[in-house]
Amino acid sequence: MGNDTHHSDERREGYTGTGAGAITPDGCAVEVWTRLPAGDAPEVIEAAVPPGARILELGCGVGRMTHPLVDRGFTVTAVDESAEMLARVREDVRTVRGPIERLDLGERFDVVLLASFLVHAGDPAVRQGLLETCRRHVAEDGCVLLQREGEDWHLNVPRESRIAGTDGLARILSTTPVGSGVNSVRAEYVFPDGTWTQTFLSRPLTTAAFEQALDEAGLRVESYLTEDRTWVRARPTG
């Protein structure tokens, strides 16, 4: 149950990935994302929005958060630019394929979800496009939920963590400045049957810079939802 908007499968500049299986335009290995748990994200989202809300999920990937949200009674429209990612989303979910920063469905939703640190896009124009897509699709009395990087995300490197519920390790190997306030981040996912890497661009944002970017898109922070301030609820302004 899906439809395509205008899209391109070309790799985004500065984004690469290695390993078996499909690699998305931003360097993600589809196989890895099928293995990564949703963690506490569904609980954070459920606690922050009305029961049964209509959610527009931007950058849904393989449905890692989509499926738990649907199972909790939410109606989710799942958007991703990768056909290979969307192929893993359950058939009972409405999917839309296309670049998030250019999306215009002509609809409003109770909740717009921009997770996976997408707000830290290396290109400020892409980041602004993502936020404007959020604003364009959120109901006037709705909210936007965003996931941002932790304060020391680019400083506490290298680091590794066990991937919960699996026999895999996630490593952030390096963050390298490449100019204009952007870092090239190299990640590695190691499982007994294979290793995958992703290199991507990420722009660290202070709280003030993050809130300013939202303001420029017609959004304002209402509250930080978690103690580490990585999950945020915003509302439309004006």
Side-chain angles (χ1 to χ4, degrees):
M1 183 167 56
N3 59 285
D4 283 15
T5 60
H6 176 73
H7 60 82
S8 169
D9 282 328
E10 293 179 6
R11 186 64 43 83
R12 291 178 180 261
E13 186 176 353
Y15 296 74
T16 61
T18 66
I23 304 292
T24 66
D26 62 354
C28 288
V30 174
E31 178 61 33
V32 167
W33 285 90
T34 64
R35 304 181 186 201
L36 297 182
D40 63 357
E43 285 75 24
V44 172
I45 295 163
E46 183 177 31
V49 304
R54 293 180 67 240
I55 298 177
L56 177 65
E57 183 186 4
L58 303 175
C60 66
V62 298
R64 191 170 56 106
M65 286 190 279
T66 317
H67 300 147
L69 291 172
V70 170
D71 291 343
R72 284 166 166 77
F74 296 105
T75 300
V76 182
T77 296
V79 180
D80 206 277
E81 66 181 354
S82 165
E84 290 88 352
M85 287 284 200
L86 289 176
R88 308 295 182 102
V89 177
R90 290 192 328 222
E91 291 186 0
D92 61 337
V93 177
R94 176 194 181 196
T95 58
V96 178
R97 182 185 175 203
I100 298 167
E101 63 267 31
R102 298 200 295 272
L103 185 72
D104 190 351
L105 297 179
E107 300 174 48
R108 298 294 185 102
F109 295 80
D110 304 319
V111 180
V112 179
L113 177 60
L114 187 72
S116 301
F117 311 134
L118 292 176
V119 73
H120 292 273
D123 183 344
V126 170
R127 179 191 67 209
Q128 207 61 18
L130 297 175
L131 293 174
E132 288 170 1
T133 292
C134 292
R135 179 65 181 88
R136 185 160 53 244
H137 290 89
V138 68
E140 291 305 317
D141 60 349
C143 66
V144 177
L145 299 187
L146 306 101
Q147 186 183 25
R148 57 195 290 260
E149 295 170 348
E151 299 291 341
D152 67 343
W153 202 83
H154 291 262
L155 304 175
N156 177 25
V157 176
R159 64 179 181 273
E160 73 173 33
S161 57
R162 178 70 56 184
I163 300 172
T166 77
D167 49 8
L169 285 173
R171 295 173 173 149
I172 300 296
L173 300 178
S174 61
T175 62
T176 306
V178 291
S180 303
V182 177
N183 289 336
S184 176
V185 181
R186 183 169 173 80
E188 181 179 67
Y189 302 91
V190 181
F191 291 87
D193 62 340
T195 296
W196 289 263
T197 71
Q198 182 188 12
T199 301
F200 58 96
L201 300 179
S202 179
R203 179 179 295 273
L205 295 171
T206 64
T207 298
F210 169 75
E211 294 186 356
Q212 180 180 345
L214 265 62
D215 181 67
E216 291 171 358
L219 298 166
R220 61 174 175 79
V221 170
E222 181 183 62
S223 58
Y224 290 89
L225 302 173
T226 51
E227 190 174 334
D228 61 7
R229 296 167 66 88
T230 57
W231 279 99
V232 185
R233 183 171 58 207
R235 300 279 185 185
T237 56

